[in-house]
Amino acid sequence: MNGVNFEPAAFILSVLCLIFSLTINKRQYKLPAGIKNKLLNQHFMFLMLILNNIVSSASSVGGVYLQAMASKEIVFWQYLLHAFYFISHTTLSICFALYIMNINGSSMGRGRGFYVVFALPYLISELLILTNGFTGFVFYLDDQFVYHRSPGMVVAYITGFIYLLLGFVFFFRYQRAISGTDRKVVGVLIGFTAAGVIIQGLYPEQVVELYFESLTFLGLMMILEERSGHIDPATGALNRVALMDASRRMIETEQPYQVVLVKLTNLNLFSNLLDGRDLDSMLIQI
């Protein structure tokens, strides 16, 4: 049976998603300082998803290309591309689970112990991949420089399944933390991602997993990452809709939070004294 490889399309689509996301990043997002805050930021994790999908698809396409002209001179680059594929694809799986947790706020307020256990399958898989050059536990290249999977490959698949399952669990447990429309969209897209994993798992010759994931990212970008409706056009500040979404996440995940109200009682006076641009400037500074 002839296989179909959609990974070049996955690469192109992911690059386009990255370009658009970096564009809206300038207009709609300001990433927090510190690596911990970034990991708990929805938009940052979305960028990590796209970047890892780009590296995975590019490594896979490059590995297939080099396989066609395999030789002793390029065996190092063959091995490197295969290693990059597994490193980035495993990172993609943990980023996916963390992104879902960031959407509904379930990543907030958890201690270091939780995240140590959470990251343990990922760290084990990455250690096996990084030491594969000495052990050949995950994959190897034979005397003819042909790529083969080793028994340890099952660890990588189990790791991916664990984080896919965690994404499902945290989504359904805290589904009320996001709006009804967003909840339906995220549920459908998670199922779509799972379908790609299952299809490629059952029919390895049909290389569709990364393509399904790139289509999922496209849907997430259009529905959840494009947030012009959450931003006041005059000041660039988050608006009432954003406040309601943030409050819903905090309430449903039982996170303590405070609201500070600033009431401008004499705004009409300033609107008569200042022109539109000066008034907007004043509001932005406040």
Side-chain angles (χ1 to χ4, degrees):
M1 182 177 180
N2 293 327
V4 180
N5 190 331
F6 284 94
E7 289 179 351
F11 174 78
I12 295 172
L13 187 56
S14 296
V15 169
L16 293 176
C17 286
L18 179 63
I19 293 172
F20 182 80
S21 296
L22 292 176
T23 301
I24 65 171
N25 179 50
K26 294 180 180 179
R27 295 183 286 109
Q28 301 179 18
Y29 292 92
K30 182 178 180 181
L31 294 178
I35 184 62
K36 180 180 178 181
N37 292 329
K38 283 184 170 64
L39 291 175
L40 300 182
N41 179 269
Q42 172 184 327
H43 185 63
F44 178 80
M45 293 312 302
F46 182 74
L47 293 177
M48 292 300 99
L49 284 172
I50 298 176
L51 284 172
N52 279 284
N53 209 51
I54 290 173
V55 174
S56 295
S57 54
S59 300
S60 180
V61 172
V64 172
Y65 175 76
L66 291 184
Q67 183 64 63
M69 52 180 182
S71 65
K72 186 177 180 179
E73 288 73 22
I74 63 172
V75 65
F76 170 78
W77 299 106
Q78 281 182 264
Y79 181 89
L80 195 63
L81 286 175
H82 288 302
F84 273 154
Y85 171 82
F86 286 108
I87 290 171
S88 59
H89 200 256
T90 306
T91 304
L92 181 66
S93 62
I94 190 174
C95 288
F96 175 78
L98 193 53
Y99 177 76
I100 296 300
M101 294 170 65
N102 288 346
I103 289 176
N104 58 27
S106 58
S107 60
M108 297 184 295
R110 299 187 180 273
R112 180 177 298 178
F114 170 85
Y115 283 108
V116 169
V117 175
F118 178 80
L120 192 59
Y122 168 73
L123 296 175
I124 292 174
S125 293
E126 295 292 66
L127 180 62
L128 292 175
I129 295 167
L130 292 173
T131 58
N132 185 74
F134 304 100
T135 66
F137 186 67
V138 180
F139 69 90
Y140 67 94
L141 301 177
D142 63 20
D143 295 337
Q144 301 301 317
F145 314 111
V146 177
Y147 165 82
H148 296 279
R149 298 182 175 187
S150 299
M153 180 70 68
V154 68
V155 177
Y157 279 100
I158 290 175
T159 300
F161 176 78
I162 287 173
Y163 287 113
L164 182 62
L165 182 61
L166 285 174
F168 272 106
V169 170
F170 281 102
F171 170 72
F172 285 106
R173 183 176 180 182
Y174 297 100
Q175 58 179 307
R176 292 175 60 86
I178 56 179
S179 67
T181 301
D182 289 349
R183 184 162 62 240
K184 293 176 183 177
V185 170
V186 174
V188 170
L189 292 176
I190 291 177
F192 190 73
T193 299
V197 174
I198 292 171
I199 291 173
Q200 187 164 327
L202 295 176
Y203 307 100
E205 69 279 1
Q206 307 300 331
V207 187
V208 298
E209 180 182 349
L210 290 177
Y211 181 63
F212 273 54
E213 290 168 354
S214 64
L215 290 176
T216 296
F217 301 154
L218 177 63
L220 290 172
M221 182 185 70
M222 295 172 62
I223 304 299
L224 296 183
E225 295 300 313
E226 209 295 317
R227 302 179 67 192
S228 57
H230 288 67
I231 297 175
D232 177 69
T235 64
L238 296 175
N239 60 17
R240 185 186 300 269
V241 176
L243 173 64
M244 296 301 293
D245 284 349
S247 296
R248 185 187 298 109
R249 285 195 296 271
M250 301 295 284
I251 292 170
E252 293 297 333
T253 56
E254 301 180 352
Q255 299 293 322
Y257 72 107
Q258 297 175 329
V259 176
V260 177
L261 174 64
V262 178
K263 184 176 182 180
L264 305 179
T265 57
N266 54 351
L267 187 59
N268 289 333
L269 172 63
F270 283 102
S271 64
N272 293 327
L273 295 176
L274 303 173
D275 63 30
R277 286 177 298 181
D278 290 336
L279 181 61
D280 288 344
S281 177
M282 183 192 73
L283 292 175
I284 290 171
Q285 292 180 51
I286 293 175

